């Protein structure tokens, strides 16, 4: 497989990149971000791109890929709905539409979140915007999937870029085995999520929307 990763410096993206580097079926990895991944690997090509609302200038370089792991995302805390929609919906769709044009048979995996509102009319702002984004991705002419992990525990040295989250994960790390026992359907390791994503990219899935329990089975 030849794959594209958006958000490879984030927690999920780091895990996906790690698993792609390990997996022999992944022969080429294109990493797209506003800043480069701070390491060089033989099968990795990096594109540093500033305007995440317009990818037409690098469109030709996006052709010829089998799967895309779209791992960009921000917390909605303290954000207005227009600002959150700009980052969540418009950035995702700018990339997705360009890729659909260039790779109509591609599998596009969008990292959403547990509790996303597919009706787009619920009470929670972030859930409405995520639902709007999922629906738009799934309407495009490629093989799109929306993944809804719940609590993600970073593993194997993977870290969140958010300092508050990093501190939280230090505390919850010791509780992870307990969380897996009492809330198994809602808790997933970052490595398990990444392996599930690679499985879907390689083989597809019957569901277009996959919750944490579905992802754990795929891992």
């Amino acid at each position: 497989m030849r794959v594209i990763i958006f958000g490879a410096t984030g927690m999920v993206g780091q895990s996906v990149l790690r698993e792609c580097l390990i997996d022999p079926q992944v022969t080429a990895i294109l990493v797209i971000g506003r800043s480069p991944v701070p390491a060089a690997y033989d099968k990795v090509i990096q594109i540093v791109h500033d305007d995440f609302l317009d990818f037409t200038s690098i469109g030709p370089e996006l052709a010829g890929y089998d799967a895309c792991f779209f791992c960009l995302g921000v917390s909605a805390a303290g954000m207005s709905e227009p600002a959150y929609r700009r980052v969540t919906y418009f950035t995702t769709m700018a990339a997705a539409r360009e890729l659909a044009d260039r790779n109509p048979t591609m599998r596009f995996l969008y990292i959403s979140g547990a509790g996303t509102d597919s009706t787009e009319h619920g009470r929670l702002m972030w859930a409405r915007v995520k639902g709007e984004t999922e629906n738009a991705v799934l309407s495009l002419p490629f093989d799109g999937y929306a993944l809804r992990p719940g609590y993600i525990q970073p593993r194997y040295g993977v870290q969140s870029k958010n300092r508050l989250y990093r501190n939280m994960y230090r505390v919850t790390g010791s509780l992870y085995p307990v969380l897996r026992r009492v809330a198994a359907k809602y808790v997933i390791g970052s490595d398990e999520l990444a392996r599930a994503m690679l499985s879907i990219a390689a083989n597809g899935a019957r569901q277009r929307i996959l919750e944490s329990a579905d992802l754990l089975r795929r891992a």
Side-chain angles (χ1 to χ4, degrees):
M1 286 192 300
R2 292 169 54 82
V3 306
I4 299 174
I5 303 175
F6 285 83
T9 59
M11 190 176 78
V12 174
Q14 290 173 50
S15 295
V16 172
L17 177 58
R18 178 182 179 275
E19 294 297 327
C20 285
L21 289 167
I22 293 170
D23 194 328
Q25 71 180 328
V26 177
T27 57
I29 306 165
L30 175 60
V31 172
I32 301 174
R34 291 188 179 90
S35 57
V37 173
Y41 305 96
D42 289 342
K43 59 182 179 180
V44 175
I45 300 170
Q46 300 198 52
I47 296 178
V48 176
H49 187 70
D50 292 326
D51 186 358
F52 268 45
L53 296 176
D54 186 352
F55 293 95
T56 54
S57 65
I58 61 170
E61 296 171 79
L62 305 181
Y65 286 87
D66 304 297
C68 174
F69 304 110
F70 197 86
C71 308
L72 290 174
V74 295
S75 168
M79 295 185 74
S80 67
E81 185 162 344
Y84 185 67
R85 177 173 284 106
R86 176 181 173 87
V87 175
T88 301
Y89 177 85
F90 287 108
T91 294
T92 303
M93 294 311 297
R97 288 182 179 122
E98 190 68 33
L99 288 170
D101 287 343
R102 304 282 177 176
N103 306 284
T105 62
M106 165 180 277
R107 289 185 173 129
F108 184 96
L109 283 71
Y110 168 61
I111 293 292
S112 184
T116 293
D117 176 19
S118 296
T119 73
E120 306 179 29
H121 299 298
R123 181 175 57 85
L124 297 175
M125 178 273 285
W126 72 265
R128 291 195 306 271
V129 175
K130 284 278 193 182
E132 179 185 8
T133 308
E134 283 186 358
N135 292 337
V137 165
L138 298 181
S139 73
L140 290 174
F142 54 23
D143 198 7
Y145 299 91
L147 313 185
R148 295 180 175 180
Y151 173 82
I152 304 169
Q153 178 64 41
R155 302 180 70 188
Y156 297 104
V158 167
Q159 290 191 341
S160 171
K161 293 196 293 185
N162 184 299
R163 186 171 66 178
L164 176 63
Y165 288 174
R166 285 199 304 272
N167 292 334
M168 179 191 72
Y169 287 128
R170 289 192 190 100
V171 174
T172 58
S174 60
L175 300 174
Y176 180 60
V178 177
L179 293 173
R180 283 298 294 263
R181 286 198 299 272
V182 301
K185 291 195 300 183
Y186 308 104
V187 178
I188 190 168
S190 60
D191 57 319
E192 294 170 313
L193 174 57
R195 287 199 300 273
M197 293 169 71
L198 272 170
S199 172
I200 295 164
N203 305 301
R206 287 191 300 273
Q207 310 110 295
R208 303 292 297 281
I209 298 175
L210 294 96
E211 308 284 350
S212 268
D214 304 314
L215 295 167
L216 279 168
R217 284 192 289 270
R218 293 302 296 253

